[in-house]
Amino acid sequence: MDYQFKEIEKKWQGFWAENQTFKAAQTTDKPKFYVLDMFPYPSGAGLHVGHPLGYIASDIFSRYKRLKGFNVLHPMGYDSFGLPAEQYAIQTGQHPALTTEQNINTYRRQLDQIGFSFDWSKEIRTSEPSYYKWTQWIFMQLFNSWYNVETDRAENISTLIAKFETSGSAGIKAAADEDVLTFDASEWAAMTEEAKQTELLKYRLTYLRESTVNWCAALGTVLANDEVIGGYSERGGHPVEQKKMMQWSMRISAYAERLLQGLNTVDFPEPVKEMQRNWIGKSVGASVKFPIENHTGHIEVFTTRVDTIYGVSFLVLAPEHELVAELTTPEQKDAVENYIAQTRKKSELDRMADTKTVSGAFTGRYVLNPVSGERVQLWIADYVLAGYGTGAVMGVPSGDQRDWLFATHFGLPILQILDKQADLDKQADPTKEGQYINSGIINGMSYKEAIDTLNKWLEDNKAGKAKINYRMRDAIFGRQRYWGEPIPVYFKAGIPYLIKEEELPLLLPEVDKYLPTETGEPPLGRATNWSYEQQYEYELSTMPGWAGSSWYWYRYMDSKNEAAFASKEAIDYWQDVDLYIGGAEHATGHLLYSRFWNKFLKDLGYVQQEEPFKKLINQGMIQGRSNFVYRVMDEDGKSTNTLVSHGLKGSYKTTALHVDVNIVENEVLNIEKFKLFRPEFKDAEFILENGKYICGVEVEKMSKSKFNVVNPDVLIENYGADTLRMYEMFLGPLEQSKPWNTNGIEGVFKFLRKFWRLFHNDAWEFKVSDAEPTKAELKALHKIIKKVQDDIERFSFNTSVSSFMIAVNELTDLKSNNKQILQDMVIVLSSYAPHICEELWTLLGNEAGTLSYAAYPTFNPDYLVEDEISYPISVNGKTRMNLSISSTMEAKEIEELVLANEQVQKYLDGKSPKKVIVVKGRIVNIVV
């Protein structure tokens, strides 16, 4: 029978599900291998052909590793909390859980029909109480922990309390808030419970504090920086402003150095590492205190160039800095408040990116340079961020271009501080060369001397100190929306307390609407009778989208465990993820948070590994390939009801219209389907080329609005899942972005049919031979064994597909139906095209389901050794024929053999050659 892909694929997908073929063993003598995909958010749109790219690659690798004798864990689940389901709930009143369930069902159906070897027994959903119970539990561990800088790890808060009880705050080295108190043991003992808890909150790894956030009024929630584009929400395009709110935060900054150093131990793409290094932003410098004139306080500044302190001509605060209102003089109040109002309309990313616009407002106040005593104007400007460093920057216009532009714009002094600085009337000169001038105690010194001298002076005079700073700020851990994990906290006298562990999970309550309350509280404020012990208010924010994805790989190890997030035995066996495949867009979000939570869980002894993911691959994006029809415009520029084919449009004035790519084949439009797609053109005139309407083409992002989304369901219906799998790999290297083009898929389908044909005679009867394989057959087989093995190990899947086609062509030419050859071919191809290979495996007489755990064929290099070489034979420089000659023969023997050949003698026509040139292994040239 011919290749019946629909029946074959349905059959084997049912078999795998029924027999749990890919369920990973928890105890085995095999080495483990953990392959993980970044799990999807189940949107209502389902999958398009771009989504499975990474999943197909990970599946090929997983299947290959099983063949190589590994116990493979390859799980799948759903990151099922999220804003889209909530927005839909707001619009329709339908509970987010219902739409999420519907979306998951669509995703599962689509994933199953592509034939992935997922271990579905480990499936997780972050919105399931059985899962988010443990997300809440990890939050509780963070709340009950502090970071001991001396031991360089997180510890239970009880160890900090013990230090306070015995020796107060003396000698405590902790990652903590700036405003921690100084006290002795007796003073600690005398504090009220409320005062103690307030102080401990400054040390906890998750804590409450007033933070500047991206507030989106239309969505009623705080957004992460990566959810804001150009001052508008990524979802919905709503205005976003900077606003101060009391927020939960995670003290990820405590792990900054470990996150930085850990990048040296993992196999991540270099661009991802670089993004993380830049995000962490380690800087070595000094902290300097600038006294405020006529005030008891000071402003602290972190600088990497303390050597330039004599060149400071102004100080800049972030507009949202806590001291701005207090320090602004009455005369400057209106100007400062207007400037702050304008700043709120910009996101922090926009403020950092805009290096050309110069703006600011003078506060009317002065500070004093602690080293020179000079008066320095105090300004606010939006290029300074409250959350970076101290929210204050010293302006040194001679050495920093942004400061130079600011000083030039506002007419502030530009002070030369090094004798090698040049052209300061045109631009800043950041040189460290030369000797210092106009610089008091460091005049005449070099850069290194100046740094050491100033750091010592600052320390001696209690005006500052040498310091390492990190750009990375603590992560805001709260969203003012409904569809997320409830935070397991209640408030007593305004102080947060954890609920008891045995009370987990804290379930999402029912609400009448998924909107903020009329008084502006988050949606959870709508819940009735929702309080702790009928008297204390719960936290009304929910956790952010990244909470559930920051530890999920551990839950896969032991997804049904009710007593722990995963058992010690499971964690000890699986340890970490060997291969992680996902998008590069998560470099400074999910990947950083996951690494942070992993390090924290290791500190507390729950996991073994410092890093969660050994190797990361970022798959490229599959872009859309849009098609266009061309509407003819009349002389007045008005639309007509005429459409002209692409090749003829140059003779007309036209406008391009997107057309559904699913009704275009090889750029030829199906006109009847187009009329159904766009009924307004049902009576249109079509100007054709050679009887066809040819569409235009452009590569764009795949989206519904451009009608260029290709649904894998359609392709699987027409060509089968094995064809889709191989074609997606065939498009190009995994890591590169590439345009989708359905036009080439027919070739892959024909290849699979040709492979099927090798096992059948002309009457489509299954027929293979038990004869000994020939040298040529073995050579073709072992070439593909080695090629596929090498390609998969280096994740070069696209080149394997080409090699499969060559191998099958070679075996077809050899008329090979040798069982030994074809059985090994089935094993080698099975990672790419599992359905057809499962069917052929059983037809070859093997037990159903054993293919996935068969042994990958061993490559034998002897079969690739050439024992004969095809020599081109030339007479007077013109190639006349080819002769196969043993590769062991020497030049003299080759010459004798060639001259004795009957055909060669015909070309010599009885003449004796003047010379015979033999280039061993390449050519024989006879000169007559």
Side-chain angles (χ1 to χ4, degrees):
M1 187 181 292
D2 199 351
Y3 175 38
Q4 302 295 316
F5 63 87
K6 290 181 182 178
E7 290 84 348
I8 290 170
E9 291 179 357
K10 186 176 180 181
K11 169 185 172 181
W12 288 104
Q13 287 161 14
F15 179 92
W16 296 330
E18 183 180 343
N19 292 277
Q20 293 191 300
T21 302
F22 309 112
K23 185 174 182 178
Q26 285 294 77
T27 54
T28 175
D29 294 332
K30 293 180 180 180
K32 71 95 183 181
F33 204 92
Y34 188 170
V35 181
L36 183 63
D37 299 284
M38 288 188 187
F39 64 164
Y41 173 78
S43 71
L47 296 171
H48 64 60
V49 291
H51 294 132
L53 180 69
Y55 303 159
I56 295 170
S58 68
D59 193 63
I60 290 169
F61 199 84
S62 297
R63 289 175 177 276
Y64 168 76
K65 279 295 185 182
R66 289 191 194 96
L67 297 174
K68 280 291 191 176
F70 286 85
N71 181 31
V72 176
L73 175 58
H74 185 212
M76 179 50 74
Y78 306 97
D79 195 6
S80 49
F81 273 132
L83 190 55
E86 181 154 4
Q87 288 301 107
Y88 188 74
I90 290 169
Q91 293 163 14
T92 64
Q94 191 175 49
H95 197 287
L98 296 175
T99 54
T100 299
E101 179 70 25
Q102 291 164 5
N103 295 345
I104 285 175
N105 290 339
T106 299
Y107 261 63
R108 177 63 191 268
R109 178 187 60 76
Q110 290 187 298
L111 291 171
D112 281 347
Q113 69 178 7
I114 301 175
F116 293 122
S117 63
F118 293 132
D119 179 355
W120 284 111
S121 71
K122 306 287 197 302
E123 180 192 316
I124 58 174
R125 303 178 183 188
T126 58
S127 59
E128 285 290 329
S130 60
Y131 181 89
Y132 71 68
K133 167 184 178 177
W134 298 107
T135 309
Q136 292 172 336
W137 180 86
I138 294 171
F139 174 92
M140 295 170 79
Q141 310 315 304
L142 285 153
F143 183 85
N144 276 331
S145 298
W146 68 293
Y147 200 89
N148 188 337
V149 172
E150 282 193 311
T151 60
D152 198 24
R153 67 182 183 88
E155 296 180 8
N156 190 280
I157 200 77
S158 61
T159 65
L160 180 64
I161 294 170
K163 289 175 184 285
F164 288 166
E165 289 174 342
T166 56
S167 54
S169 61
I172 299 289
K173 292 184 178 179
D177 293 354
E178 293 285 336
D179 61 341
V180 294
L181 300 177
T182 301
F183 51 84
D184 59 27
S186 62
E187 289 170 321
W188 172 259
M191 285 185 193
T192 64
E193 172 66 14
E194 185 178 320
K196 286 180 178 178
Q197 292 302 326
T198 299
E199 189 63 16
L200 287 171
L201 203 57
K202 299 174 184 176
Y203 292 85
R204 296 184 187 275
L205 288 184
T206 185
Y207 60 94
L208 270 174
R209 77 166 175 203
E210 191 175 59
S211 306
T212 300
V213 298
N214 300 311
W215 174 250
C216 181
L219 296 177
T221 190
V222 169
L223 299 178
N225 282 337
D226 57 5
E227 295 174 309
V228 182
I229 299 173
Y232 293 87
S233 62
E234 181 182 32
R235 183 165 293 278
H238 304 293
V240 176
E241 67 172 355
Q242 300 284 290
K243 184 178 178 180
K244 284 199 168 183
M245 293 179 67
M246 192 61 74
Q247 286 283 301
W248 284 99
S249 289
M250 289 275 176
R251 210 178 294 278
I252 189 174
S253 58
Y255 287 83
E257 188 62 26
R258 282 168 65 182
L259 288 167
L260 196 61
Q261 295 306 318
L263 292 172
N264 299 324
T265 69
V266 293
D267 184 3
F268 284 12
E270 197 53 41
V272 169
K273 289 186 178 185
E274 198 56 30
M275 279 189 274
Q276 292 204 3
R277 290 187 188 109
N278 291 337
W279 191 266
I280 296 166
K282 181 178 182 179
S283 301
V284 178
S287 175
V288 184
K289 297 174 182 176
F290 284 76
I292 303 167
E293 188 178 59
N294 301 320
H295 191 280
T296 57
H298 64 266
I299 293 171
E300 190 170 345
V301 170
F302 174 79
T303 176
T304 58
R305 290 291 304 272
V306 71
D307 60 299
T308 66
I309 195 164
Y310 285 96
V312 175
S313 62
F314 59 95
L315 211 69
V316 185
L317 295 179
E320 53 276 297
H321 194 286
E322 59 189 11
L323 289 175
V324 171
E326 178 187 341
L327 297 181
T328 300
T329 62
E331 296 81 10
Q332 295 298 116
K333 187 170 184 289
D334 287 347
V336 167
E337 288 181 351
N338 287 337
Y339 187 78
I340 291 171
Q342 291 300 312
T343 302
R344 285 199 186 111
K345 297 175 183 176
K346 297 182 183 179
S347 72
E348 289 190 356
L349 289 175
D350 291 335
R351 286 162 62 180
M352 287 188 288
D354 186 3
T355 57
K356 295 179 180 178
T357 305
V358 179
S359 66
F362 180 42
T363 65
R365 191 66 90 133
Y366 288 80
V367 297
L368 302 175
N369 187 318
V371 183
S372 69
E374 294 287 329
R375 292 175 85 224
V376 176
Q377 290 187 12
L378 182 64
W379 288 68
I380 65 169
D382 64 8
Y383 73 87
V384 183
L385 304 177
Y388 174 54
T390 62
V393 169
M394 62 185 211
V396 184
S398 67
D400 181 274
Q401 186 61 20
R402 196 156 199 173
D403 293 345
W404 186 92
L405 291 168
F406 192 90
T408 302
H409 185 81
F410 291 109
L412 299 168
I414 298 173
L415 309 170
Q416 184 176 359
I417 49 173
L418 278 156
D419 58 10
K420 289 291 179 69
Q421 284 181 316
D423 299 325
L424 294 181
D425 58 328
K426 298 175 183 173
Q427 62 187 7
D429 184 349
T431 185
K432 298 176 184 176
E433 302 297 320
Q435 296 179 324
Y436 289 87
I437 58 174
N438 305 319
S439 295
I441 63 173
I442 60 170
N443 273 336
M445 292 185 183
S446 65
Y447 171 74
K448 178 73 169 63
E449 289 176 288
I451 292 283
D452 293 342
T453 300
L454 286 166
N455 282 340
K456 184 176 187 307
W457 188 95
L458 291 169
E459 190 98 31
D460 291 345
N461 290 273
K462 295 184 169 47
K465 60 183 178 181
K467 186 179 180 182
I468 293 174
N469 196 48
Y470 298 92
R471 182 184 297 118
M472 181 172 65
R473 288 158 291 162
D474 287 344
I476 292 172
F477 194 77
R479 296 290 184 270
Q480 288 63 49
R481 56 193 186 211
Y482 177 78
W483 191 232
E485 299 91 339
I487 295 174
V489 162
Y490 66 93
F491 291 89
K492 185 164 59 174
I495 302 294
Y497 292 86
L498 296 175
I499 67 173
K500 300 183 185 75
E501 278 193 17
E502 56 267 27
E503 294 169 327
L504 292 176
L506 175 60
L507 298 173
L508 270 174
E510 293 296 323
V511 294
D512 60 338
K513 295 178 186 175
Y514 306 101
L515 291 166
T517 67
E518 285 68 26
T519 55
E521 292 176 315
L524 293 188
R526 292 181 171 275
T528 55
N529 301 319
W530 195 58
S531 60
Y532 188 68
E533 296 179 347
Q534 286 78 52
Q535 57 180 320
Y536 302 117
E537 184 181 287
Y538 280 120
E539 169 60 60
L540 298 181
S541 294
T542 52
M543 296 186 193
W546 55 269
S549 62
S550 292
W551 69 278
Y552 74 111
W553 59 96
Y554 285 117
R555 191 60 178 171
Y556 279 137
M557 296 177 185
D558 197 10
S559 62
K560 303 297 186 290
N561 196 320
E562 295 181 5
F565 67 90
S567 69
K568 183 179 185 301
E569 293 74 21
I571 293 170
D572 287 350
Y573 178 70
W574 292 109
Q575 296 195 33
D576 52 16
V577 175
D578 295 281
L579 173 65
Y580 197 22
I581 296 182
E585 66 273 15
H586 300 290
T588 55
H590 159 66
L591 283 173
L592 265 179
Y593 301 140
S594 297
R595 295 179 62 222
F596 159 43
W597 277 32
N598 196 93
K599 290 173 191 296
F600 167 72
L601 290 171
K602 180 177 185 289
D603 287 350
L604 269 58
Y606 292 112
V607 306
Q608 288 189 10
Q609 302 300 324
E610 177 80 5
E611 291 288 338
F613 316 121
K614 285 180 183 173
K615 181 177 181 63
L616 171 71
I617 293 179
N618 296 136
Q619 83 272 16
M621 182 186 294
I622 289 186
Q623 298 160 308
R625 193 170 185 273
S626 300
N627 283 120
F628 299 89
V629 294
Y630 299 93
R631 189 177 205 168
V632 176
M633 313 297 285
D634 65 18
E635 292 180 1
D636 298 325
K638 293 180 180 177
S639 300
T640 70
N641 207 27
T642 300
L643 296 167
V644 60
S645 186
H646 177 266
L648 304 175
K649 71 184 181 71
S651 305
Y652 302 85
K653 183 179 179 181
T654 62
T655 183
L657 303 173
H658 280 92
V659 61
D660 185 353
V661 295
N662 295 293
I663 60 174
V664 179
E665 186 172 349
N666 294 323
E667 303 352 317
V668 178
L669 178 70
N670 184 317
I671 293 175
E672 293 310 311
K673 287 184 178 179
F674 175 74
K675 289 177 180 179
L676 294 173
F677 167 68
R678 296 287 294 265
E680 68 267 37
F681 292 110
K682 68 179 185 338
D683 298 320
E685 177 190 357
F686 290 82
I687 302 174
L688 308 178
E689 296 176 65
N690 301 319
K692 297 176 181 177
Y693 190 98
I694 308 299
C695 294
V697 179
E698 189 176 320
V699 174
E700 301 178 291
K701 183 178 179 181
M702 201 172 276
S703 74
K704 285 194 283 188
S705 65
K706 295 178 171 59
F707 303 106
N708 62 1
V709 171
V710 179
N711 189 327
D713 295 6
V714 176
L715 297 176
I716 290 170
E717 173 67 23
N718 292 335
Y719 300 103
D722 285 339
T723 298
L724 175 68
R725 289 168 62 100
M726 294 195 74
Y727 188 60
E728 291 228 1
M729 293 297 97
F730 188 55
L731 287 173
L734 177 62
E735 296 92 337
Q736 292 181 13
S737 291
K738 49 259 180 187
W740 178 266
N741 184 356
T742 307
N743 295 347
I745 199 168
E746 185 80 33
V748 175
F749 177 73
K750 287 178 178 176
F751 153 74
L752 287 173
R753 189 168 178 266
K754 198 169 188 178
F755 180 62
W756 178 265
R757 185 71 151 142
L758 288 172
F759 297 76
H760 297 79
N761 61 21
D762 291 343
W764 289 104
E765 298 166 331
F766 182 82
K767 191 169 182 63
V768 292
S769 164
D770 290 319
E772 278 296 309
T774 66
K775 286 183 179 180
E777 288 174 317
L778 288 167
K779 180 180 176 182
L781 171 65
H782 282 264
K783 274 196 301 185
I784 195 67
I785 290 172
K786 178 169 173 43
K787 176 65 175 168
V788 170
Q789 179 173 280
D790 291 348
D791 283 351
I792 292 180
E793 294 284 4
R794 63 172 186 261
F795 308 98
S796 181
F797 305 106
N798 59 308
T799 51
S800 279
V801 179
S802 305
S803 300
F804 278 127
M805 293 177 175
I806 293 168
V808 168
N809 283 340
E810 288 175 347
L811 292 174
T812 301
D813 290 344
L814 292 168
K815 295 183 170 50
S816 174
N817 70 340
N818 185 279
K819 180 178 179 180
Q820 181 182 325
I821 297 293
L822 295 182
Q823 180 151 295
D824 280 353
M825 277 291 292
V826 164
I827 298 172
V828 175
L829 182 61
S830 64
S831 299
Y832 287 79
H835 305 88
I836 189 174
C837 291
E838 287 274 16
E839 184 69 12
L840 291 169
W841 182 252
T842 54
L843 288 174
L844 287 165
N846 300 291
E847 185 183 345
T850 58
L851 173 59
S852 296
Y853 297 93
Y856 189 85
T858 302
F859 168 64
N860 187 341
D862 293 344
Y863 292 127
L864 303 193
V865 174
E866 298 283 358
D867 53 8
E868 288 190 339
I869 298 170
S870 180
Y871 279 86
I873 310 300
S874 296
V875 178
N876 289 336
K878 188 172 183 179
T879 302
R880 295 296 188 178
M881 59 188 293
N882 287 287
L883 280 180
S884 292
I885 301 173
S886 170
S887 60
T888 61
M889 294 183 77
E890 296 301 324
K892 189 63 180 170
E893 296 173 295
I894 293 170
E895 179 180 333
E896 291 172 359
L897 182 71
V898 169
L899 292 178
N901 183 273
E902 286 185 18
Q903 282 185 279
V904 172
Q905 285 296 326
K906 288 179 184 177
Y907 287 115
L908 293 180
D909 196 23
K911 298 174 185 174
S912 297
K914 294 178 182 177
K915 188 188 295 184
V916 178
I917 303 165
V918 177
V919 181
K920 192 176 177 189
R922 296 188 63 186
I923 193 170
V924 177
N925 188 21
I926 303 169
V927 181
V928 180

